[in-house]
């Protein structure tokens, strides 16, 4: 979503994005002329008249599980957004019985919070697991 | 997918939908700049409708139409900017 019109979105997809992504952008490119939606999400920069790089992960109940907002010159890490969605999906599927520690990736160790784990995380989770 | 619409001469616009934030009273509307309520994790995402371009069609997208699915909602500064 950006402050551009749907017509400009079409031109951008036709003339540039479709040369990067085969068949063009598959998802809806939304238009927020005037920044009304960006304003309620707190990411519209009224002085510059543009939306900053806000990224919101919304679960199947419509609840915001996470967000990230960065200024325009720095691009996002798409893999990190996907990793977070995978982690939230795992937690949701476990009905909250599992949690994903720092550095978690699909297939790696999860934690089962409960009385037995209090004070014992150090036995199962090592700090280097946050970095690989 | 949202409902397709005819492209006219005006630039289609959308806006917030659903319940209005309860901390905005009519009196507050007199001041131009209102403090938008901060998005909180664990709280509902504000609903909205927005016109969109998707695979050759102009459609109206409503966030609440995606209930039951995971959504990544991304804002960016503008088309043809570089990053």
């Amino acid at each position: 979503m950006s402050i551009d019109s749907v017509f400009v979105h079409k031109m951008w997809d036709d003339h540039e994005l479709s040369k990067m992504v085969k068949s063009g952008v598959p998802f809806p490119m939304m238009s927020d002329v005037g920044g009304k939606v960006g304003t309620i999400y707190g990411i519209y920069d009224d002085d510059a008249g543009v939306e900053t790089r806000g990224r919101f992960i919304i679960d199947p109940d419509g609840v915001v599980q996470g967000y990230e907002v960065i200024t325009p010159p720095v691009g996002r890490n798409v893999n990190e957004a996907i990793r977070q969605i995978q982690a939230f999906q795992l937690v949701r599927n476990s009905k909250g019985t599992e949690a994903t520690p720092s550095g978690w990736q699909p297939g790696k160790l999860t934690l089962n919070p409960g009385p037995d784990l209090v004070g014992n995380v150090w036995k199962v989770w090592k700090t280097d697991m946050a970095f690989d | 997918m949202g409902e397709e619409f005819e492209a006219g001469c005006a630039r289609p616009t959308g806006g917030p939908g659903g319940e209005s934030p309860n901390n905005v009273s009519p009196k507050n509307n007199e001041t131009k700049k209102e403090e938008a309520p901060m998005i909180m994790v664990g709280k509902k995402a504000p609903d909205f409708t927005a016109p969109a371009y998707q695979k050759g069609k102009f459609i109206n997208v409503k966030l609440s139409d995606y209930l039951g699915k995971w959504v990544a909602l991304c804002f960016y500064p503008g088309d043809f900017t570089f990053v």
Side-chain angles (χ1 to χ4, degrees), chain A residues 1-16 23-34 36-43 46-47 50-67 72-76 85 88-89 92, chain B residues 1-2 5-17 21 32-59 61-63 66-83:
Chain A
M1 176 174 276
S2 74
I3 48 93
D4 299 282
S5 71
V6 289
F7 308 130
V8 180
H9 284 339
K10 181 181 189 302
M11 285 294 110
W12 193 28
D13 193 41
D14 285 355
H15 294 286
E16 189 168 38
S23 309
V25 174
F27 47 76
M29 299 171 72
M30 293 183 287
S31 170
D32 187 23
V33 175
K36 283 184 212 155
V37 178
T39 299
I40 58 170
Y41 277 80
I43 55 81
D46 200 22
D47 296 330
V50 297
E51 320 209 292
T52 54
R53 285 186 209 285
R55 181 230 65 197
F56 298 81
I57 295 172
I58 301 168
D59 77 9
D61 295 322
V63 171
V64 178
Q65 291 295 345
Y67 61 83
V74 172
R76 292 178 248 262
I85 293 170
F88 286 122
Q89 288 176 335
R92 184 180 173 93
Chain B
M1 191 196 276
F5 66 85
E6 294 281 329
C9 286
R11 292 200 301 182
T13 53
K32 192 170 177 287
K33 271 195 178 180
E34 287 165 27
E35 285 294 314
M38 189 66 194
I39 297 285
M40 287 284 293
V41 291
K43 298 278 190 284
K44 286 267 183 186
D47 197 15
F48 60 83
T49 54
Y53 173 73
Q54 185 181 25
K55 290 184 152 293
K57 288 180 178 168
F58 295 124
I59 59 169
V61 170
K62 192 166 197 253
L63 179 65
Y66 287 82
L67 285 171
K69 292 181 175 178
W70 287 86
V71 172
L73 172 62
C74 292
F75 296 87
Y76 61 96
D79 295 349
F80 295 106
T81 59
F82 309 100
V83 176

Side-chain angles (χ1 to χ4, degrees), chain A residues 112-121:
Chain A
N112 300 95
D116 296 341
L117 192 61
V118 177
N120 289 321
V121 173

